[in-house]
Amino acid sequence: MVDGPGARVRAAVVGTGLIGGSVLLRMHAAGVDVTGWDPDEDTRRRARRMGVPVPDLLVEAVADRDVVFLCGPLPTLPATLVEVAAMTGDRCVLTDVGSTKEEVAAFAATRGLTDRFVPGHPMAGTDRAGLTAAGPDLLTGAAWVLCPAPGPATAAFRWLAGLLVDLFEARVVPMSPAEHDSAAALASHVPHLLAGALAGAVQRAPLRDAILALAAGSFSDGTRVAGTPAERTANMLLGNRQRVLRELAEVTSFLDDLAVALHAGDAPALTARYDEARASRLALRDRRFDAYDRRFPLDGDHVAEVSWLYELGVAGGHLTGLRVGADTVSYTARRPAAD
Amino acid sequence: MVDGPGARVRAAVVGTGLIGGSVLLRMHAAGVDVTGWDPDEDTRRRARRMGVPVPDLLVEAVADRDVVFLCGPLPTLPATLVEVAAMTGDRCVLTDVGSTKEEVAAFAATRGLTDRFVPGHPMAGTDRAGLTAAGPDLLTGAAWVLCPAPGPATAAFRWLAGLLVDLFEARVVPMSPAEHDSAAALASHVPHLLAGALAGAVQRAPLRDAILALAAGSFSDGTRVAGTPAERTANMLLGNRQRVLRELAEVTSFLDDLAVALHAGDAPALTARYDEARASRLALRDRRFDAYDRRFPLDGDHVAEVSWLYELGVAGGHLTGLRVGADTVSYTARRPAAD
């Protein structure tokens, strides 16, 4: 970590559902001085029974903290951000775990919070919900997107990135909010649409029970995220609406190509399309990474640093650590090896 | 088993790839007298090194066997069926493991093989291929569709069902070929189309590498079967073309509804659709079964028996065993409990 071991950090988690609860339990297990808070009284009680300090008042949970993780439902995020910002000092880093980043980043800018709000998105989850489904290892080793910004904001990004690597063994993926939202549309949001459509069609099918009896890997895998609480999925999709619809059009265009080849009984065309599709699976499976270091001046406008970070994320790379020295910050990174 | 323990059965497996190899290895491990055969010489050699008798000539593998599992690629199945039928006696039961059933059942009928060919489809697999990916436990406990037919064919069905329960702990799902193909379209084939479309769109995306870096559960699950060898997938889809296209239309219709609600920013409509979709996941997760027995006369036309079996499969039930007595056959079955 940048400023010392995680154990000395004073952290808070606001919204202790699946993701927030997992952040909380991990930090608690690591010995971090961490408080939790949730608007639901039962959830607060449950968290207390896990040994975590959970005051009844939000202000008591977040005051004097070094970092606050905002983990409530997406639609509540702007209001919570404003509220928590007012309860904390200028040196308190704020971050979130929402599934889209551009809207919240723009909102934070309008409230003058860019310098200390670092938009974040850990790429992990389950189809269950709530603190009862949370666990200290849910996020361990996850790809965790953070959105750095130039200027004073860069210091907050560096500190938080170091904390996440330390506490969560995170692969920190630095991206601009817009590029995150584009990538997440295909990596996560459109898959939720496809899973919903498949599960929905099965639900309506006259042979539903027989279909479920035959459901092996492909159906079960392909619909798993359709088991997610519906409202959470709806919020996620609505928060990235334009991009999701755009990327959905790319997917349905490929689907149309498959259907045309199938309709025509054109085995070579169908096989060729599947070979193309399979290439992305093989790329996922066979990815190799080159490790390298990169150093930037500690002070200045950080424009070069942030553009290198963005470029790293777009290339499919991530940070494995960073060290802040007297005059420089030194990143260790991994990026996909050229084929 | 019906006619004695599996160890006394003389079986053969023709085509020892992923599924056939797993059938072979399971029976070999269970002490069944089983031979294998594959058109590929290297595969035959590999199977021999696993201790399985694999003659170089097909006729030597299948002659004098009680049962032959036909496990080659779908397009080769009719020719292999005719060939193996000619090499074996009238009392030798033939079955296959192909992903569609109506075409092969109809073909078998034209060749007068209905009485001893029992169309089959074990619902298991992986995205890998070949004997190297096979294993004796791949099919253990799988839902295994068998298509019974009235008349003399029923005896072959009973015997094979008993064998599969004994050797594979199979949940034998009895279905008509047409109903199997309809259910499999949504349970397996359309999921392969969606996975292919998603993986294909990602492969073409400018942000492909960033998308793969963010790929957590939903993408990874949703595209897994797109890693299947392309030709196998193409054959599977082409073998059930009309039904796959029909069920795909149901899925894209649900997808359109989701997209319309998303486009309109209509959170309640989107949530309602997802609640509907989620119901099938919950049904899959929460299924409870009632066990019951059913008895039929050993002789006769078996029309009532077969129609009960079909009805069991359509209801999402399966056989867990059967016993042939002096005058009756007694099935033990499980079917989904009424809510």
Side-chain angles (χ1 to χ4, degrees):
Chain A
M1 222 176 51
V2 183
D3 291 326
R8 288 195 214 140
V9 169
R10 290 165 55 82
V13 177
V14 174
T16 57
L18 174 69
I19 301 295
S22 298
V23 172
L24 183 69
L25 293 173
R26 177 75 177 183
M27 291 200 289
H28 183 63
V32 174
D33 174 0
V34 63
T35 56
W37 189 82
D38 195 278
D40 179 60
E41 196 180 325
D42 281 349
T43 303
R44 292 200 299 273
R45 259 199 295 270
R46 191 184 297 274
R48 279 182 209 123
R49 282 200 299 271
M50 292 167 162
V52 183
V54 179
D56 273 325
L57 296 179
L58 175 58
V59 65
E60 292 174 7
V62 303
D64 298 322
R65 296 280 131 182
D66 301 314
V67 57
V68 180
F69 290 81
L70 306 171
C71 305
L74 216 47
T76 67
L77 200 50
T80 311
L81 177 61
V82 168
E83 199 175 12
V84 170
M87 294 169 170
T88 52
D90 282 350
R91 293 178 54 88
C92 173
V93 172
L94 306 174
T95 188
D96 76 318
V97 297
S99 51
T100 60
K101 300 274 63 84
E102 196 169 33
E103 236 176 58
V104 72
F107 176 82
T110 66
R111 299 305 175 110
L113 292 170
T114 300
D115 291 353
R116 64 182 179 116
F117 175 66
V118 185
H121 183 203
M123 303 302 294
T126 103
D127 51 357
R128 293 168 302 143
L131 181 56
T132 47
D137 293 323
L138 180 72
L139 302 170
T140 306
W144 196 314
V145 175
L146 289 181
C147 302
T154 312
F157 164 80
R158 291 173 187 153
W159 182 83
L160 184 60
L163 187 74
L164 296 181
V165 169
D166 261 21
L167 291 178
F168 296 89
E169 299 162 34
R171 291 173 280 133
V172 172
V173 180
M175 296 188 95
S176 71
E179 282 165 337
H180 165 275
D181 287 2
S182 290
L186 268 178
S188 167
H189 306 160
V190 171
H192 278 77
L193 280 175
L194 300 180
L198 179 57
V202 167
Q203 177 63 15
R204 290 179 182 176
L207 285 172
R208 186 195 81 156
D209 291 333
I211 293 164
L212 296 181
L214 303 192
S218 61
F219 174 82
S220 195
D221 288 352
T223 60
R224 188 186 55 83
V225 294
T228 307
E231 209 176 316
R232 190 166 88 198
T233 304
N235 288 336
M236 180 185 80
L237 296 171
L238 289 164
N240 198 20
R241 186 157 56 135
Q242 297 309 329
R243 286 196 177 82
V244 171
L245 289 167
R246 197 157 59 230
E247 299 302 337
L248 177 62
E250 300 296 323
V251 172
T252 54
S253 154
F254 203 101
L255 186 60
D256 287 344
D257 288 352
L258 291 173
V260 165
L262 180 59
H263 190 264
D266 186 344
L270 199 52
T271 305
R273 296 287 181 197
Y274 268 99
D275 273 328
E276 184 180 359
R278 194 178 181 218
S280 70
R281 285 293 303 184
L282 298 180
L284 182 62
R285 191 192 69 189
D286 299 334
R287 268 180 311 172
R288 289 171 303 108
F289 291 91
D290 290 330
Y292 69 120
D293 293 345
R294 188 70 187 264
R295 190 171 294 223
F296 294 95
L298 202 57
D299 298 323
D301 61 10
H302 311 307
V303 168
E305 180 177 345
V306 168
S307 79
W308 173 78
L309 288 165
Y310 283 177
E311 193 270 329
L312 176 69
V314 164
H318 59 269
L319 301 173
T320 55
L322 73 162
R323 210 176 52 251
V324 174
D327 302 316
T328 58
V329 55
S330 173
Y331 290 99
T332 54
R334 297 171 78 222
R335 64 190 299 157
D339 290 333
Chain B
M1 223 177 49
V2 184
D3 291 325
R8 288 195 213 141
V9 169
R10 291 165 54 82
V13 177
V14 174
T16 56
L18 174 70
I19 300 296
S22 298
V23 172
L24 182 70
L25 294 174
R26 177 74 178 184
M27 291 200 288
H28 183 65
V32 174
D33 174 0
V34 61
T35 56
W37 189 81
D38 195 277
D40 179 61
E41 195 180 326
D42 282 348
T43 302
R44 292 201 300 273
R45 258 200 295 270
R46 189 184 299 274
R48 279 183 207 122
R49 282 198 300 272
M50 292 168 161
V52 183
V54 179
D56 273 325
L57 297 178
L58 174 59
V59 66
E60 291 174 7
V62 302
D64 298 322
R65 297 280 132 182
D66 300 314
V67 57
V68 181
F69 290 83
L70 306 172
C71 305
L74 215 48
T76 67
L77 199 51
T80 310
L81 177 60
V82 169
E83 199 175 11
V84 170
M87 294 169 171
T88 52
D90 281 349
R91 293 179 53 87
C92 173
V93 172
L94 307 175
T95 188
D96 76 318
V97 296
S99 52
T100 60
K101 301 273 63 83
E102 196 169 34
E103 236 177 57
V104 72
F107 177 82
T110 66
R111 300 304 176 108
L113 293 169
T114 299
D115 291 353
R116 63 181 179 117
F117 174 66
V118 185
H121 183 203
M123 303 303 293
T126 105
D127 51 356
R128 293 168 303 143
L131 182 56
T132 48
D137 293 322
L138 181 72
L139 301 170
T140 305
W144 196 314
V145 175
L146 289 181
C147 302
T154 311
F157 163 80
R158 293 172 187 152
W159 182 82
L160 184 59
L163 187 73
L164 297 181
V165 169
D166 260 21
L167 291 178
F168 296 90
E169 297 161 35
R171 291 173 281 134
V172 172
V173 180
M175 297 187 94
S176 72
E179 282 164 337
H180 164 274
D181 287 3
S182 290
L186 268 178
S188 167
H189 306 160
V190 171
H192 278 77
L193 279 176
L194 299 180
L198 179 57
V202 167
Q203 177 63 15
R204 290 179 182 176
L207 284 173
R208 186 195 81 156
D209 291 333
I211 293 163
L212 297 181
L214 302 192
S218 62
F219 174 82
S220 195
D221 287 353
T223 60
R224 187 186 57 83
V225 294
T228 306
E231 209 176 316
R232 190 165 87 196
T233 305
N235 287 337
M236 181 184 79
L237 296 171
L238 290 164
N240 198 20
R241 188 158 55 136
Q242 297 310 330
R243 286 196 176 82
V244 171
L245 289 168
R246 196 157 58 230
E247 298 303 337
L248 176 63
E250 299 297 324
V251 173
T252 54
S253 154
F254 203 101
L255 187 59
D256 286 345
D257 288 351
L258 290 174
V260 165
L262 180 58
H263 190 264
D266 186 344
L270 199 53
T271 304
R273 297 287 181 196
Y274 268 98
D275 273 328
E276 185 180 0
R278 194 179 181 217
S280 70
R281 285 293 302 184
L282 298 180
L284 182 62
R285 191 191 69 187
D286 299 334
R287 268 179 310 171
R288 288 170 304 107
F289 291 90
D290 290 330
Y292 70 119
D293 293 346
R294 188 69 189 263
R295 190 172 294 225
F296 294 95
L298 203 56
D299 298 323
D301 62 11
H302 312 306
V303 168
E305 179 178 346
V306 168
S307 79
W308 173 79
L309 288 164
Y310 283 176
E311 193 269 329
L312 175 68
V314 164
H318 59 269
L319 301 173
T320 55
L322 74 163
R323 207 176 54 252
V324 174
D327 303 315
T328 58
V329 56
S330 174
Y331 290 99
T332 54
R334 297 171 78 222
R335 63 190 299 157
D339 291 333

